[in-house]
């Protein structure tokens, strides 16, 4: 697997960055905006390929510009050219307002969309009074996030190799759970293994939760030593070229009690049913309900205390949500997780999670680590 990971990393297919801004502009009329000011770094990356942490992108019907500061004078033009997104780059540390206001004025634009989920209160006040006085500012929600749902072949290739890296890292280390590492030690080894295999970084702070800690769905790794009889919930992922993977496995160390064994059986059945339910056209909340029914039937309704899953891409948690309140309908190209769990303070917790891509026929899992619960 390691060789194949290296091969894939060295020949990642291009992403279809060039077509994204046109798909975005198609939404302007429905959103009643004449331009969109993009301030989320992740959304800027999606539209332009620029990976810097500071910048603003402005999309108008006739212009597409990335404005960033002098720190990125070399990086920004290079990444914009490489991505083929078609944006212009303006570098300025002091006149960003004037550059953007000039483009708005030149386009006779009177209504500007802001990304409501990514603009602070103070930034909104600044845009309203200093940057765009007299113009209408519109709070838009999730326009680019919706575009990001449907992954192109290049994006899928990145998520898939990130998942392969996580699989290989866990396979290389799972037998060491018998040696009694602390949660922090095991998490550290996992992170290091992913980096050695080619990950930029972990997708999020790796969760290794053992024994009583496993009953906390989002425990942070501690100095607790893993011992015989523990359930160990390991939830982690790798990042490749900005794209995340996400997977959870629960491993039983030595002999576990009957309730813990039953928890593993039930969660595994719920998770398999959830994955089997994923197909284009299904309501995301129905995938959640499918998992929940099996756990409810086992008498543990209250012990499944979170949603079934979420979209995965440039962000570890992105659209669509896969929970009981989700209004999303799954579509080809969505990448989502299916991760039911049961948490009982007296016994511990079990969660099993795969990341899958929705295909015309149903879905294809991208995470493949064995679900056998022994180390
Ligand atoms: Zn996870
Ligand atoms: Zn997840």
């Amino acid at each position: 697997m390691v060789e194949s990971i290296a091969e894939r990393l060295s020949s990642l297919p291009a992403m279809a960055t060039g077509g994204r801004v046109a798909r975005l502009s198609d939404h302007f009329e429905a959103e009643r905006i004449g331009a969109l000011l993009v301030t989320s770094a992740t959304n800027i990356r999606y539209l332009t390929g620029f990976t810097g942490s500071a910048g603003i992108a402005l999309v108008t019907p006739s212009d597409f510009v990335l404005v960033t500061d002098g720190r990125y004078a070399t990086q920004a033009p290079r990444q914009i050219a490489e991505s083929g997104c078609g944006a212009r780059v303006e570098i300025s540390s002091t006149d960003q307002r004037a550059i953007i206001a000039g483009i708005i004025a030149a386009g006779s634009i009177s209504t500007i969309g802001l990304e409501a989920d990514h603009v602070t209160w103070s930034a909104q006040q600044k845009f309203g009074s200093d940057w765009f006085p007299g113009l209408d500012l519109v709070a838009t929600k999730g326009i680019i996030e919706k575009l990001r749902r449907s992954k192109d072949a290049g994006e899928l290739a990145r998520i898939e190799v990130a998942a392969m890296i996580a699989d290989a890292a866990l396979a290389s280390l799972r037998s060491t759970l018998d040696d009694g590492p602390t949660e922090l030690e095991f998490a550290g080894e996992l992170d290091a293994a992913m980096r050695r295999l080619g990950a930029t970084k972990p997708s999020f702070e790796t969760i290794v939760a053992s024994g009583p800690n496993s009953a906390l769905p989002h425990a942070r790794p501690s100095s607790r030593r893993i011992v015989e009889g523990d359930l160990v919930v390991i939830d982690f992922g790798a990042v490749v070229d900005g794209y995340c993977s996400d997977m959870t496995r629960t491993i039983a160390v030595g002999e576990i009690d009957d309730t813990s064994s039953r928890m593993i059986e039930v969660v595994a059945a719920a998770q398999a049913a959830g994955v089997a339910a994923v197909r284009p056209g299904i309501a995301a909340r129905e995938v959640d309900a499918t998992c929940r029914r099996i756990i409810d039937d086992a008498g543990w309704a209250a012990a499944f205390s979170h949603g079934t899953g979420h979209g995965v891409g440039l962000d570890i948690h992105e659209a669509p949500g896969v929970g009981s309140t989700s209004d999303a309908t799954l579509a080809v190209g969505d990448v989502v997780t299916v991760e039911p769990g049961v948490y009982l303070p007296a016994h511990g917790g079990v969660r099993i999670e795969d990341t899958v891509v929705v295909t015309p026929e149903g879905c294809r899992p991208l995470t493949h680590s064995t679900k056998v619960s022994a180390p």
Side-chain angles (χ1 to χ4, degrees):
M1 195 188 318
V2 174
E3 249 171 62
S4 140
I5 288 170
E7 268 169 39
R8 283 177 187 238
L9 284 171
S10 64
S11 58
L12 288 171
M15 294 184 284
T17 314
R20 291 174 184 166
V21 78
R23 288 198 290 136
L24 172 61
S25 303
D26 287 345
H27 291 265
F28 280 17
E29 206 177 307
E31 298 283 341
R32 298 169 189 272
I33 53 174
L36 183 67
L37 194 70
V38 185
T39 48
S40 149
T42 308
N43 287 340
I44 290 171
R45 179 176 191 156
Y46 179 74
L47 289 180
T48 69
F50 173 61
T51 60
S53 59
I56 298 177
L58 178 69
V59 181
T60 79
S62 57
D63 209 349
F64 177 23
V65 61
L66 171 70
V67 184
T68 185
D69 61 68
R71 291 171 297 170
Y72 298 111
T74 307
Q75 176 187 332
R78 191 182 65 223
Q79 289 184 322
I80 294 308
E82 278 170 8
S83 76
C85 69
R88 299 190 293 117
V89 181
E90 295 268 8
I91 302 290
S92 170
S93 301
T94 52
D95 290 328
Q96 296 191 353
R97 185 204 65 78
I99 291 167
I100 294 205
I103 296 167
I104 296 288
S108 302
I109 291 162
S110 58
T111 313
I112 302 163
L114 300 182
E115 297 181 286
D117 292 331
H118 305 290
V119 174
T120 61
W121 190 352
S122 62
Q124 189 268 343
Q125 290 185 313
K126 176 188 76 180
F127 291 138
S129 56
D130 299 351
W131 285 46
F132 309 118
L135 302 182
D136 285 334
L137 298 186
V138 176
T140 69
K141 280 186 78 78
I143 312 180
I144 300 174
E145 284 80 353
K146 276 181 209 130
L147 298 179
R148 281 168 46 193
R149 275 184 52 174
S150 185
K151 271 64 180 180
D152 65 43
E155 295 179 287
L156 277 180
R158 285 158 175 77
I159 298 170
E160 190 157 19
V161 70
M164 289 174 73
I165 286 171
D167 282 335
L170 182 59
S172 72
L173 290 167
R174 56 191 294 153
S175 66
T176 67
L177 284 169
D178 280 336
D179 305 338
T182 67
E183 295 170 355
L184 278 164
E185 284 167 352
F186 191 80
E189 291 297 329
L190 209 45
D191 293 352
M194 290 194 289
R195 281 204 165 90
R196 274 195 298 273
L197 288 160
T200 328
K201 59 179 182 179
S203 308
F204 55 93
E205 186 182 353
T206 294
I207 295 173
V208 176
S210 65
N213 296 342
S214 64
L216 310 170
H218 261 202
R220 306 182 91 159
S222 74
S223 55
R224 183 183 184 278
R225 208 163 274 292
I226 293 165
V227 295
E228 170 116 10
D230 278 352
L231 291 171
V232 187
V233 173
I234 304 166
D235 187 351
F236 69 111
V239 174
V240 168
D241 197 20
Y243 285 82
C244 302
S245 73
D246 193 7
M247 174 172 74
T248 308
R249 291 294 183 264
T250 300
I251 299 177
V253 178
E255 290 289 312
I256 53 171
D257 65 54
D258 290 348
T259 303
S260 300
S261 300
R262 177 81 184 125
M263 288 162 71
I264 291 173
E265 273 172 37
V266 169
V267 172
Q271 201 266 345
V275 171
V278 173
R279 61 175 184 276
I282 192 171
R285 66 156 73 101
E286 186 51 38
V287 175
D288 179 86
T290 301
C291 294
R292 217 164 281 282
R293 270 193 291 273
I294 291 172
I295 291 171
D296 289 3
D297 287 349
W300 288 325
F304 177 14
S305 50
H306 53 75
T308 286
H310 53 87
V312 178
L314 286 170
D315 285 325
I316 183 64
H317 292 133
E318 60 178 52
V322 184
S324 58
T325 58
S326 172
D327 58 5
T329 300
L330 297 184
V332 172
D334 278 331
V335 173
V336 295
T337 69
V338 179
E339 50 179 306
V342 168
Y343 311 89
L344 301 175
H347 299 275
V350 174
R351 179 167 67 256
I352 300 173
E353 171 182 33
D354 284 314
T355 298
V356 306
V357 54
V358 181
T359 62
E361 299 76 33
C363 76
R364 180 167 65 87
L366 303 177
T367 43
H368 298 290
S369 289
T370 176
K371 293 185 180 102
V372 170
S373 57

